Amino acid sequence: MTDHPLNESTSLTILMAGIAAVGIQALMLSPLLPDIAADLQATPREIGFATGAYGLGVATAALLAAPKLGQWRKAAAIRIAFVVMALSLGLCGLAWDWRVLVVGQAVTGLCAGIILPATYGLAADLSAPERRSRAIGKVIFGWSVAMVAGIPLAAFLSDFIEWRSTFALMTAICCLMVLVIGLIPRSSAILASERVPYSRVLQVPGMILGFVATFAYMIGFYQTYTFIGDHVRHLHDKGAWLGGAVACSYGIGFGAAILGNAWLDRMGPVRLMALSLFWVGANYLILPTATLAMWSTLAFPFFWGLANHFCMNVLVSFIGSAPPAARSTAMGLFSFITYVAVGLGGAVFGTVYVQFGFAAVSYAATAMLWIAAAIVGLLLKRQVAVAA
């Protein structure tokens, strides 16, 4: 851990930028899909395979690399992953066939599957335990930057230049990240002396509950966020701008929640996990009604974003509190669970959405979050107290 606040603050800002870069390239494919499909003479379904390939790549890399990641220098691993990501995004921009795009997105996902857990792990290494929520909150603020800036930027470039220029810009951003990640002090990361298997992480008191909570949180988000754009567009008979406005409102709320991170540090993730899960679940109970009026469709995602940042920070802070040697493996499992939830959120609840509507999808998310909140509320403090 570094003893220099300036170095810590600067390093966390760099890591936040890295998360934003990963978030933008992950989110930008959706608004580009019609243009890419037309240019490559492919169907939206074929281009959609690229999204699936990306998620599969993230989950695979996170699962396979996690036990070894603690032995790697995290900043070096992040830099190498950004080098390969720059090449894969360049391949996407040069794609002459939809299959080439799928391959490029799969490799990009593999890189993201290393960058994400390594970044979260390094943020935890950089910070003292009493400042961990603030440090991690600052880093995950990068997702807010991606939500607010990434989707509109991608759509703008696609409309006024072409979709290939968007990939060219992201390639340049990845090259820049290779340089700035190199500014992080080498002594910042904690290295494990041996490979840490998953079984050791799962033996950490409360960690299994943390992963159960993570799955409930992530699938609840992705099963609703995946379909809310289509839902509100059809409900209000509006264009694609409405889905983008919802994402922007959500992203602003997600970012605004950073102001409460000092309070999270004082309270601690163990005390707040059940409450945060319950709060997120309450949002999904309100969400179907909130979309009935145009003003609330635009306003409510702000509060949804607040709740989700709060809960995500609690979850990442708790998992980041694993013993230093096991931290990278734990963060790898966190990323793996996240992208399993991404896949299941769309695959399982797509049928529910088509047959029963958005309200059924949203209420199912509430049920999962509240069940997880009850389990965590009953067991987490007891497990952690026994271990202490």
Side-chain angles (χ1 to χ4, degrees), residues 33-384:
L33 191 148
D35 295 329
I36 296 174
D39 195 23
L40 299 183
Q41 298 182 336
T43 66
R45 177 176 175 271
E46 289 169 337
I47 303 301
F49 281 127
T51 302
Y54 177 87
L56 181 61
V58 177
T60 301
L63 187 65
L64 296 181
K68 304 173 184 177
L69 195 56
Q71 295 176 282
W72 300 348
R73 292 196 177 277
K74 297 182 185 70
I78 294 169
R79 293 182 76 191
I80 293 170
F82 267 120
V83 169
V84 180
M85 181 177 282
L87 295 173
S88 62
L89 289 171
L91 177 64
C92 291
L94 297 172
W96 56 92
D97 184 87
W98 67 270
R99 298 170 188 83
V100 177
L101 183 72
V102 170
V103 171
Q105 284 291 290
V107 177
T108 302
L110 289 170
C111 297
I114 292 175
I115 293 170
L116 292 173
T119 299
Y120 295 141
L122 185 52
D125 289 350
L126 283 166
S127 58
E130 65 272 13
R131 297 195 305 272
R132 186 161 290 143
S133 290
R134 277 169 285 184
I136 290 174
K138 184 174 183 177
V139 171
I140 66 176
F141 181 76
W143 285 108
S144 181
V145 174
M147 293 285 291
V148 175
I151 295 176
L153 177 63
F156 175 84
L157 288 176
S158 179
D159 282 343
F160 292 96
I161 310 176
E162 62 171 346
W163 65 270
R164 296 181 189 274
S165 299
T166 305
F167 281 99
L169 176 62
M170 289 310 305
T171 298
I173 290 175
C174 288
C175 291
L176 179 61
M177 290 309 308
V178 174
L179 297 177
V180 296
I181 293 291
L183 300 176
I184 296 176
R186 289 191 175 186
S187 60
S188 299
I190 298 170
L191 297 181
S193 59
E194 60 181 339
R195 182 176 180 270
V196 180
Y198 297 117
S199 58
R200 190 183 306 179
V201 173
L202 297 178
Q203 290 170 5
V204 175
M207 197 57 62
I208 291 177
L209 291 175
F211 290 135
V212 169
T214 297
F215 180 78
Y217 166 84
M218 291 296 179
I219 195 169
F221 171 71
Y222 284 106
Q223 74 189 59
T224 48
Y225 185 77
T226 299
F227 302 109
I228 191 170
D230 182 77
H231 168 65
V232 297
R233 286 182 62 182
H234 284 90
L235 184 64
H236 298 290
D237 193 25
K238 301 295 181 182
W241 68 267
L242 183 56
V246 168
C248 188
S249 176
Y250 174 92
I252 292 171
F254 193 93
I258 196 172
L259 299 175
N261 287 339
W263 180 73
L264 296 187
D265 274 323
R266 290 195 298 272
M267 297 295 290
V270 174
R271 296 172 65 184
L272 294 175
M273 191 181 298
L275 173 63
S276 68
L277 292 167
F278 182 86
W279 183 18
V280 174
N283 274 267
Y284 296 128
L285 190 64
I286 300 168
L287 188 57
T289 302
T291 58
L292 295 178
M294 178 62 73
W295 70 268
S296 54
T297 296
L298 296 173
F300 186 76
F302 175 87
F303 301 98
W304 182 15
L306 282 176
N308 270 23
H309 180 113
F310 181 87
C311 190
M312 184 172 180
N313 197 339
V314 167
L315 292 170
V316 177
S317 296
F318 178 76
I319 294 168
S321 68
R327 189 171 292 152
S328 294
T329 304
M331 287 300 178
L333 280 173
F334 175 85
S335 295
F336 170 74
I337 290 168
T338 296
Y339 280 87
V340 168
V342 172
L344 290 178
V348 174
F349 286 92
T351 302
V352 177
Y353 175 63
V354 170
Q355 293 187 356
F356 302 104
F358 182 77
V361 173
S362 197
Y363 295 153
T366 296
M368 284 186 287
L369 265 296
W370 282 1
I371 290 170
I375 294 171
V376 168
L378 289 171
L379 300 177
L380 183 61
K381 290 182 182 178
R382 186 183 308 170
Q383 290 187 7
V384 174

